Amino acid sequence: MLAGCSSSSEPSAVPAATSSSTTTPQATTPRQSQAPVLDLSRFGALPAVPQPTTDVVSCAYPEQPPAAKEVNPPPTDNVDVFGTVDVALSTSRGPIDITMDRTQAPCTVNSVLSLVQQGYFDGTPCHRLTTSPGLEVLQCGDPSGSGRGGPGYSFANEYPTTAYADDPGQAQNPVVYPRGTLAMANAGPDTNGSQFFLVYADSVLPPQYTVFGTISESGLQTLDAIAAAGVAGGSEDGAPADPVIIESATA
């Protein structure tokens, strides 16, 4: 996928909030004209979610200007690590309901919930759609629509990256992010901001993109319709042919 998630087909090594675009990882296996179906059995699965050892954690959100849309940073202390949060994304192409899981990524959920409550995502485009086997996602969360925008702060990777704390080399080996996964885009390790991607078909990525929830079945139907309309210009990576706007996000 993208190391961050952007309209560029190449991963970026700079934070999403800078002038360089954020990316999602690229598919690890290029599409072959004679073999359009990717053999997912060649890749591993996401690891088990590490279980918390405390009820709350502290999070850090260092400044990463400029902000695509001015918001206050989220709280940093006493962040819950248990429970889920339901968020309804009302889009121009239909509803996409998501469920965020604090146990997977408490600091990520804390940030996204704060952005939802401040109306950060309201009226923002989903700027990137990818449709190649091994990378089938819709990327959203940048008010500028450029793939370069963020909230003015960044934060560290969480699950699944943290599941490899004892063997970080394994965190470079691609795994399958299954259909229905909700994950953060970034521009390299620990450069998460506001951009996220919605996986509508099994996609292969290194476990460097924080997983923080799931997509409802009705939301996947909306994503399927968006994907069926294709990418503008007929490519496999770019703006959706039918524009997708998040009209509102409510928790």
Side-chain angles (χ1 to χ4, degrees):
M1 295 192 72
L2 321 170
C5 271
S6 81
S7 56
S8 166
S9 61
E10 296 300 324
S12 171
V14 279
T18 70
S19 59
S20 297
S21 57
T22 328
T23 60
T24 26
Q26 304 305 308
T28 54
T29 303
R31 185 173 186 171
Q32 301 295 323
S33 58
Q34 301 302 316
V37 177
L38 183 65
D39 181 6
L40 296 176
S41 67
R42 297 169 50 199
F43 306 98
L46 285 169
V49 179
Q51 290 305 296
T53 57
T54 61
D55 291 336
V56 296
V57 295
S58 294
C59 303
Y61 302 101
E63 290 187 11
Q64 187 64 66
K69 185 175 182 179
E70 292 298 329
V71 288
N72 295 318
T76 59
D77 298 323
N78 297 314
V79 175
D80 290 335
V81 299
F82 292 104
T84 59
V85 180
D86 292 330
V87 175
L89 301 178
S90 175
T91 85
S92 57
R93 295 298 309 281
I96 303 175
D97 293 336
I98 58 177
T99 298
M100 303 191 296
D101 187 340
R102 290 190 173 100
T103 301
Q104 288 180 322
C107 294
T108 301
V109 173
N110 184 50
S111 174
V112 174
L113 179 59
S114 173
L115 293 174
V116 167
Q117 292 171 335
Q118 295 182 73
Y120 180 87
F121 299 113
D122 297 352
T124 63
C126 292
H127 62 276
R128 184 182 187 190
L129 176 68
T130 62
T131 61
S132 60
L135 183 58
E136 299 183 67
V137 307
L138 178 70
Q139 184 175 332
C140 314
D142 173 11
S144 76
S146 67
R148 299 177 176 87
Y153 61 83
S154 62
F155 55 95
N157 286 15
E158 294 185 285
Y159 171 83
T161 309
T162 51
Y164 299 95
D166 294 335
D167 190 4
Q170 291 296 317
Q172 305 304 319
N173 294 332
V175 297
V176 176
Y177 280 53
R179 171 177 164 88
T181 298
L182 175 66
M184 291 299 293
N186 62 49
D190 304 331
T191 62
N192 302 283
S194 60
Q195 295 186 43
F196 59 91
F197 58 93
L198 303 137
V199 182
Y200 64 87
D202 292 355
S203 295
V204 178
L205 303 165
Q208 296 292 327
Y209 303 91
T210 296
V211 172
F212 66 103
T214 55
I215 307 161
S216 69
E217 284 302 318
S218 60
L220 286 170
Q221 291 176 14
T222 298
L223 290 168
D224 289 341
I226 293 169
V231 175
S235 70
E236 295 181 337
D237 188 344
D242 290 341
V244 182
I245 305 297
I246 298 177
E247 296 168 341
S248 66
T250 54

